[in-house]
Amino acid sequence: MKYFDKEFDKFLNKLKNKENFAFARFSDGELFILRNETVILAENHFVTGQRKGHGTYPPEEQKEFIPEKHGFYQEKLTECFKFQMPEYYKGICCRNDVGEDAFFWQKGLNGGDADLTFSNLLINRNYRRFVEELVPVLKDRDILYVVNESANLEGLPFKIKKDFRIGSNCMIDNYNTVEEVKQYIQENNIKDHVILCSAASLSNFIIRDCFEDNPNNTFLDIGSCLNPYLKLEGWKHTRGYLTHYWLKSGSPYGDQVDVW
């Protein structure tokens, strides 16, 4: 059994002790892609599998995966999910979010759960601890950041040594960023840095490929955790855990404890 708070403690302590590791998130969007189901987040609507509806998605939130067009990326994501290596951890959707069947489907695809943790590890009820305990640790580390082209880094509470910019639908349109990051690490002999990724499913590709060749760095998929610092506005419409903390919205996501 894994526990939401204790898993956060585990990875926070790794960061504090400067133990290198990789954490890649396979959240609900990645789950749909792994199962080869359509994912569309457009300006005013969404499609996820068989569900369709209205929604507000600014450019940094928009993406499109069409199984008939994008088979290569589904295969690549599956490869990333099945990949195993010491200190390479994968966060998956838990039963309270996606139900028992999808939860156990992920565990089965992976072949066990020793290297699995919560995809929501840094958000929901753990988000307060992310801001107040984990972010201060980053102030003493050398940081590379893969982040949206619209992000303003001046408001971050720590310095960025090098940033790599991506746009909308980055998993497909910015796939070359995987090699760009890998090349920068190799050419500059990067060691004991923390590479933050806020690049949707592209983060999975970057983390898997770069950590395999560079296990002497830490790769951390932080999703939209830093968006309020970056002068991005989309989180106000789509991220309850962020509005709970920053806007006191009362969203239940801010108190959600994921269950293994």
Side-chain angles (χ1 to χ4, degrees), residues 112-260:
D113 69 356
D115 57 350
L116 298 181
T117 186
F118 300 88
S119 64
N120 291 337
L121 179 71
L122 306 179
I123 67 172
N124 296 345
R125 191 164 182 176
N126 281 345
Y127 183 68
R128 175 190 60 79
R129 298 190 62 196
F130 172 83
V131 174
E132 299 173 12
E133 297 179 46
L134 192 152
V135 167
V137 176
L138 299 178
K139 294 179 181 179
D140 298 323
R141 302 296 300 273
D142 291 317
I143 307 290
L144 312 183
Y145 193 14
V146 183
V147 65
N148 189 268
E149 60 193 2
S150 299
N152 185 330
L153 304 183
E154 293 179 0
L156 286 173
F158 50 82
K159 293 182 179 180
I160 302 298
K161 182 175 181 178
K162 166 72 175 175
D163 58 284
F164 304 85
R165 296 302 182 127
I166 46 89
S168 301
N169 206 32
C170 59
M171 178 183 78
I172 294 165
D173 294 345
N174 298 113
Y175 183 74
N176 62 302
T177 304
V178 177
E179 285 301 319
E180 184 182 346
V181 175
K182 185 186 298 186
Q183 184 176 352
Y184 179 85
I185 291 172
Q186 293 172 345
E187 291 181 353
N188 293 276
N189 195 30
I190 297 297
K191 294 181 180 178
D192 296 318
H193 284 47
V194 177
I195 295 86
L196 302 177
C197 294
S198 295
S201 303
L202 180 65
S203 296
N204 302 86
F205 303 160
I206 293 170
I207 291 170
R208 179 257 184 264
D209 285 11
C210 291
F211 186 67
E212 181 179 24
D213 293 341
N214 302 277
N216 52 359
N217 290 289
T218 290
F219 294 81
L220 194 57
D221 185 347
I222 59 170
S224 54
C225 284
L226 293 176
N227 282 19
Y229 295 100
L230 303 176
K231 295 186 179 179
L232 298 171
E233 296 295 316
W235 62 273
K236 295 178 181 178
H237 304 284
T238 61
R239 300 286 186 265
Y241 78 94
L242 291 177
T243 63
H244 182 279
Y245 183 86
W246 295 101
L247 303 179
K248 311 303 180 188
S249 68
S251 168
Y253 287 106
D255 293 317
Q256 178 176 307
V257 175
D258 283 36
V259 179
W260 197 253

